[in-house]
């Protein structure tokens, strides 16, 4: 399939979130200023329906990027907080979210993937695995905080249920086709190494790189 048959989607929730502190409340708005060709996101259902309605019969998804708040438990899709347990219908979860994600199965190109760009979502490998199982696509996420310019201060994690439901890959590099086969393989039951000495050093180094890039671009 040629690149012309692949469609990339960037979804972003730019609404001011009054539930959060002032800095985080404006995060979506600030990110929208620095992002181009994004689609405003309000819910998981809206994301899935927009993607399916936008694809022509001969087209597949290249990259599906979700830019919204996240944490070590899950990723927000607009007003919906998607977590492993919620996808199983427990707590505040809705089983219909599973049905929405399953509609994306078979819609990705050979090297297509999902990038969850919320802060610390890479620490939630079980949520990533559930999304990968339901969509059939590899899922990337970063272990650190995500800046308004899109950089993550931590390391990237990849979960690909089609290759293994028992492991994830750590330190893959930024989400890309090239990163799909990189990283250190880790068993699913293991803690994502976000607090060891080397990881803290990497996070600090990434912060320094982000600052220098911002200075150079100004």
């Amino acid at each position: 399939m040629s690149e012309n048959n692949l469609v990339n989607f960037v979804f972003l929730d730019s609404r001011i979130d009054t539930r959060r502190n002032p800095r985080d409340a404006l995060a979506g708005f600030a990110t929208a200023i620095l992002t181009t060709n994004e689609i405003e996101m309000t819910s998981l259902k809206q994301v899935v329906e927009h993607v399916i309605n936008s694809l022509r019969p001969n087209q597949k998804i290249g990259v599906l990027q979700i830019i919204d708040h996240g944490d070590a438990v899950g990723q927000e899709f607009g007003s919906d907080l998607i977590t492993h347990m919620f996808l199983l219908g427990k707590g505040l979860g809705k089983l219909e979210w599973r049905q929405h994600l399953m509609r994306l199965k078979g819609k990705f190109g050979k090297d297509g993937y999902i990038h969850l760009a919320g802060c610390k979502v890479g620490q939630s490998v079980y949520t990533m695995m559930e999304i990968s199982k339901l969509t059939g696509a590899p899922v990337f996420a970063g272990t650190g905080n995500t800046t308004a310019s899109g950089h993550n201060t931590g390391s990237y994690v990849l979960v690909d249920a089609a290759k293994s439901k028992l492991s994830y890959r750590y330190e893959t590099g930024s989400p890309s086709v090239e990163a799909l086969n990189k990283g250190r393989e880790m068993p699913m039951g293991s803690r994502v190494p976000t607090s060891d000495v080397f990881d803290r050093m990497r996070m600090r180094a990434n912060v320094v790189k982000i600052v220098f890039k911002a200075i150079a671009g100004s």
Side-chain angles (χ1 to χ4, degrees), residues 35 41-42 67 88 91 105 128 130 138 142 159 162 188 204 210:
T35 307
M41 174 172 55
T42 58
I67 305 175
L88 297 179
K105 200 155 196 176
M128 295 172 66
E130 199 64 28
V159 171
M188 279 299 291
R204 288 172 186 147
I210 291 166

Side-chain angles (χ1 to χ4, degrees), residues 1-216:
M1 179 177 291
S2 69
E3 291 185 2
N4 293 332
N5 295 105
L6 296 177
V7 183
N8 298 332
F9 296 91
V10 179
F11 287 91
L12 187 154
D13 185 355
S14 65
R15 297 174 295 177
I16 296 175
D17 191 345
T18 56
R19 300 168 300 169
R20 300 177 181 275
N21 63 57
R23 183 190 66 182
D24 290 344
L26 294 169
F29 178 78
T31 303
I33 296 173
L34 300 174
T35 307
T36 57
N37 300 319
E38 75 275 16
I39 303 157
E40 183 65 27
M41 174 172 55
T42 58
S43 68
L44 173 60
K45 180 180 180 181
Q46 176 251 335
V47 167
V48 173
E49 289 188 343
H50 184 99
V51 169
I52 289 176
N53 292 335
S54 298
L55 290 174
R56 298 188 184 122
N58 65 330
Q59 291 180 325
K60 296 283 188 180
I61 303 167
V63 181
L64 174 57
Q65 185 178 27
I66 304 298
I67 305 175
D68 203 345
H69 291 291
D71 54 31
V73 177
Q75 169 74 56
E76 290 186 11
F77 284 65
S79 299
D80 298 332
L81 172 60
I82 307 301
T83 74
H84 172 237
M85 296 304 289
F86 286 178
L87 284 174
L88 297 179
K90 299 180 180 180
L92 300 174
K94 299 178 182 178
L95 287 175
E96 66 191 55
W97 289 345
R98 295 179 63 85
Q99 302 301 319
H100 295 328
L101 289 169
M102 288 172 66
R103 293 178 67 193
L104 296 177
K105 200 155 196 176
K107 301 294 184 182
F108 287 84
K110 181 176 71 72
D111 294 321
Y113 61 85
I114 297 170
H115 175 199
L116 303 178
C119 294
K120 302 180 181 178
V121 180
Q123 299 179 37
S124 181
V125 291
Y126 283 103
T127 297
M128 295 172 66
M129 180 63 79
E130 199 64 28
I131 292 173
S132 182
K133 287 178 183 177
L134 294 169
T135 62
V139 179
F140 283 101
T143 61
N145 292 319
T146 305
T147 68
S149 60
H151 298 285
N152 192 278
T153 60
S155 300
Y156 279 100
V157 171
L158 169 66
V159 171
D160 188 351
K163 291 184 177 178
S164 174
K165 295 182 176 65
L166 302 177
S167 64
Y168 62 91
R169 303 194 75 83
Y170 175 69
E171 282 194 301
T172 63
S174 299
S176 65
V177 173
E178 293 73 27
L180 285 170
N181 296 307
K182 294 183 178 179
R184 177 158 43 110
E185 191 166 4
M186 310 278 286
M188 279 299 291
S190 65
R191 177 184 61 83
V192 179
T194 59
S195 59
D196 60 39
V197 174
F198 293 109
D199 196 77
R200 287 197 296 272
M201 290 172 63
R202 281 188 291 271
M203 285 189 177
R204 288 172 186 147
N206 285 340
V207 171
V208 171
K209 289 178 185 177
I210 291 166
V211 171
F212 274 112
K213 282 184 180 179
I215 294 173

